[in-house]
């Protein structure tokens, strides 16, 4: 008989950014395909697991770590970052201070975790709540300067680009070990 060789990959993915930017909502949208105006996980780190059939031979499990309620320090402990393989850094396009927060979060991330190669872990910038405002500014240069792989305008509410951003991150995490 023939047996296919199946690979099972587990990735720890951090979701970071200022309070209220939509981190929990993005996780809820991506993992449970849902949105709620008043969804709020318990205080502390919230976990969610999403399974993706990446290809016929590969199952990818994404373990999302949300920093629920710890944002005011704009930094997290090394324990939180440990062994993370990817990150979504979120800001709210209607709140410019959360955009500045995004680069602070990225700096904190890169100072506390990196790949075995020494490279920064794959990180994607999410300009969330795009349903509330017009076109976001071009963030290509910002991404280059802050070593993000790329950026997406997202809406957890209207289900815009959340799936795409997740797939983009997975594609890059699959390339580094
Ligand atoms: P967190 O503190 O970063 O986890 O943010 P939440 O996920 O709790 O979201 C904060 C508020 O923004 C909540 O009232 C959400 O319903 C709302 N929200 C989150 N994402 C979106 C979005 O894409 N569009 C809009 N209009 N509201 C959003």
């Amino acid at each position: 008989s023939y047996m296919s060789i199946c690979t099972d990959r587990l990735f720890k993915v951090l979701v970071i950014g200022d309070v209220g930017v939509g981190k929990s909502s993005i996780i809820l949208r991506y993992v449970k395909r849902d949105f709620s105006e008043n969804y709020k996980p318990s205080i502390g780190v919230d976990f969610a697991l999403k399974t993706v059939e990446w290809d016929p031979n590969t199952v990818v499990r994404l373990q999302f770590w949300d920093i629920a309620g710890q944002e005011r320090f704009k930094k997290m402990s090394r324990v939180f970052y440990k062994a993370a393989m990817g990150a979504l850094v979120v800001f709210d396009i209607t709140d410019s201070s959360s955009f500045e927060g995004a680069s602070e979060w990225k700096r904190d991330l890169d100072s506390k975790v990196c790949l075995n190669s020494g490279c920064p872990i794959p990180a994607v910038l999410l300009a969330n709540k795009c349903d509330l405002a017009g076109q976001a500014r071009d963030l290509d240069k910002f991404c280059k300067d802050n070593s993000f792989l790329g950026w997406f305008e997202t809406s957890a509410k209207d289900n815009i680009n959340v799936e795409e951003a997740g797939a983009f991150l997975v594609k890059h995490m699959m390339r580094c070990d």
Side-chain angles (χ1 to χ4, degrees):
S1 69
Y2 295 92
M3 267 173 58
S4 64
I5 298 169
C6 261
T7 317
D8 197 327
R9 307 286 307 270
L10 175 70
F11 293 119
K12 172 178 172 179
V13 178
L14 308 174
V15 185
I16 53 182
D18 287 356
V19 66
V21 294
K23 301 179 297 296
S24 310
S25 300
I26 283 167
I27 295 173
L28 186 65
R29 168 63 70 194
Y30 189 55
V31 175
K32 307 216 173 79
R33 298 193 175 89
D34 197 8
F35 180 80
S36 156
E37 294 286 349
N38 46 34
Y39 166 75
K40 203 66 220 168
S42 53
I43 298 300
V45 176
D46 195 54
F47 300 92
L49 194 69
K50 181 179 171 92
T51 302
V52 178
E53 285 182 30
W54 188 248
D55 64 36
N57 296 320
T58 315
V59 172
V60 173
R61 286 175 218 284
L62 303 172
Q63 186 187 54
F64 288 97
W65 290 49
D66 181 358
I67 56 175
Q70 311 284 303
E71 298 96 331
R72 62 189 183 282
F73 307 110
K74 296 231 198 284
K75 54 172 95 155
M76 294 294 285
S77 74
R78 285 177 195 281
V79 175
F80 174 77
Y81 289 118
K82 194 177 158 83
M85 290 292 287
L88 298 173
V89 181
V90 186
F91 74 97
D92 172 346
I93 61 168
T94 69
D95 171 8
S96 59
S97 78
S98 76
F99 179 62
E100 285 151 37
S103 48
E104 292 179 55
W105 282 106
K106 183 61 164 65
R107 237 175 303 153
D108 189 51
L109 172 75
D110 291 342
S111 72
K112 289 178 181 155
V113 67
C114 63
L115 298 174
N116 290 334
S117 64
C119 293
I121 66 167
V124 178
L125 180 67
L126 302 188
N128 192 42
K129 306 195 189 182
C130 72
D131 56 287
L132 293 179
Q135 191 104 2
R137 59 182 130 164
D138 186 341
L139 296 172
D140 288 346
K141 183 171 187 313
F142 181 82
C143 284
K144 199 156 174 267
D145 293 345
N146 292 273
S147 48
F148 284 101
L149 293 172
W151 62 281
F152 289 81
E153 273 188 304
T154 59
S155 169
K157 186 175 184 202
D158 290 354
N159 193 17
I160 300 168
N161 274 341
V162 176
E163 191 70 37
E164 288 80 355
F168 179 79
L169 181 64
V170 171
K171 186 177 75 184
H172 285 275
M173 291 191 300
M174 292 291 285
R175 287 189 195 150
C176 22
D177 281 288

